[in-house]
Amino acid sequence: MKDRFDLEQEIMGLYGYIDQINLIKAAVDSENNKIASQALEGLAAMLELHQERLSDTMCQVLHLDEYREID
């Protein structure tokens, strides 16, 4: 059964996809393909927002960071 550390690893794994998209975008930029470059930039931004949202949800569920319950 998976635990909170597995969830954290999967969330952090999104950065790998973002890095790959940015590498492809750099190659596309060098070929002056503006439409493809903008599409890749949008996809990377979407994944980054998704990662941030997942991280925030995890913090809320596990009462971490600013959601920590202080006794």
Side-chain angles (χ1 to χ4, degrees):
M1 181 174 202
K2 291 186 177 186
D3 61 16
R4 67 184 219 172
F5 300 108
D6 295 314
L7 174 61
E8 185 177 9
Q9 282 299 109
E10 289 182 24
I11 291 169
M12 297 306 290
L14 287 175
Y15 279 120
Y17 292 112
I18 294 167
D19 291 341
Q20 290 295 323
I21 290 169
N22 286 329
L23 284 173
I24 295 167
K25 182 185 170 300
V28 169
D29 282 346
S30 67
E31 294 177 14
N32 295 322
N33 191 339
K34 190 173 183 176
I35 294 171
S37 177
Q38 289 174 342
L40 289 167
E41 187 174 331
L43 182 58
M46 182 188 72
L47 282 172
E48 208 167 318
L49 288 172
H50 186 62
Q51 185 275 333
E52 289 172 13
R53 196 164 125 202
L54 283 171
S55 292
D56 186 64
T57 299
M58 182 181 74
C59 287
Q60 288 181 45
V61 170
L62 300 174
H63 304 284
L64 302 172
D65 299 334
E66 69 266 21
Y67 304 105
R68 188 174 141 216
E69 294 175 3
I70 300 173
D71 293 331

